[in-house]
Amino acid sequence: MRIGVLGLQGDYQKHLEMLQMIDGVETKIVRTAQEITNWCDGLIIPGGESTTVGKLMDRYGVDKAIRQRVADGMTVFGTCTGMILLSKDIEGSEQHRLGLMDTSVRRNAYGRQLDSFETDLNIKCLDGGAVRAIFIRAPQITKVSGDAQVMACLESGEAVMVRQDNCLAISFHPELTADTRVHEYFVEMTRVVSAAATSMQITQ
């Protein structure tokens, strides 16, 4: 299974290190439309500055490559900034985005860097107890609609993890812990989606 980590801007190295702890995963930093088109079974869009990443994706045609590959069956996993870029609606902003998920988000909704926090989350698709979740200038999911499904919430009831078909988005940073379960879930999700896409191609 080949999982690329988008390396246009932000803290992509931590995701790479996390993926390298999972058996059966080949991984590398990807920066071009060609790498996404020809190499990735799955793609992680890490945290960073969403306006900057959105502009770079648009400038180099990376956004078009991601949309086409997702339509063809590539999985994509957005954390923090990645989640903002996957959302169809960004409150109060017209910034460039991928717009692949039926969600609305509000940038920096949990405050500035000093307001960052950690909490334990129960994620219904993961065994082994609660996941320690680190929120840093995190975006808030303000609306989930269409085919998007909530996978985890804070105690307040606010959604922080959402999946829609082969797209996964979370507002926290699992790459900053030693717990690989969220990344393992994405790898397994990629394996299942890729197998289904291959089966469909054979049938056709």
Side-chain angles (χ1 to χ4, degrees):
M1 204 53 22
R2 298 190 295 191
I3 308 293
V5 182
L6 189 65
L8 296 178
Q9 191 264 348
D11 193 7
Y12 43 82
Q13 189 63 37
K14 290 292 184 184
H15 282 287
L16 195 69
E17 293 169 8
M18 184 66 76
L19 290 167
Q20 288 167 347
M21 290 192 280
I22 302 172
D23 291 338
V25 177
E26 187 180 351
T27 188
K28 72 173 184 178
I29 303 297
V30 293
R31 295 187 171 90
T32 68
Q34 198 169 33
E35 288 174 307
I36 291 162
T37 299
N38 297 330
W39 192 84
C40 296
D41 297 313
L43 176 71
I44 293 178
I45 304 176
E49 209 296 307
S50 62
T51 304
T52 301
V53 177
K55 287 179 179 176
L56 291 172
M57 287 197 306
D58 180 39
R59 181 182 302 170
Y60 299 114
V62 169
D63 55 344
K64 295 181 181 65
I66 293 173
R67 290 193 194 98
Q68 183 59 56
R69 288 289 288 115
V70 168
D72 292 341
M74 182 182 78
T75 57
V76 63
F77 174 24
T79 61
C80 198
T81 278
M83 184 182 87
I84 294 171
L85 294 168
L86 286 172
S87 183
K88 286 184 178 174
D89 178 57
I90 305 169
E91 292 188 3
S93 173
E94 297 299 321
Q95 71 180 78
H96 196 76
R97 71 203 68 176
L98 293 164
L100 293 169
M101 299 185 71
D102 294 322
T103 52
S104 296
V105 299
R106 184 181 301 141
R107 294 174 52 185
N108 301 328
Y110 294 105
R112 301 174 65 82
Q113 194 87 10
L114 290 175
D115 300 308
S116 300
F117 65 98
E118 298 183 25
T119 190
D120 289 329
L121 280 181
N122 289 309
I123 300 177
K124 56 188 177 184
C125 59
L126 300 184
D127 296 327
V131 168
R132 192 66 177 167
I134 300 173
F135 292 79
I136 302 172
R137 296 181 63 197
Q140 182 183 44
I141 301 168
T142 57
K143 184 178 178 183
V144 178
S145 59
D147 294 328
Q149 297 183 340
V150 176
M151 309 289 285
C153 295
L154 297 174
E155 283 190 5
S156 60
E158 295 168 14
V160 292
M161 179 173 183
V162 177
R163 177 174 175 180
Q164 182 172 350
D165 301 323
N166 47 342
C167 299
L168 180 69
I170 62 176
S171 52
F172 53 97
H173 290 271
E175 77 280 10
L176 298 181
T177 73
D179 188 340
T180 60
R181 284 179 292 165
V182 174
H183 286 76
E184 288 173 8
Y185 174 78
F186 178 63
V187 170
E188 181 58 23
M189 171 179 152
T190 303
R191 199 181 317 277
V192 170
V193 170
S194 294
T198 301
S199 174
M200 187 174 294
Q201 288 170 358
I202 292 171
T203 303
Q204 291 174 344

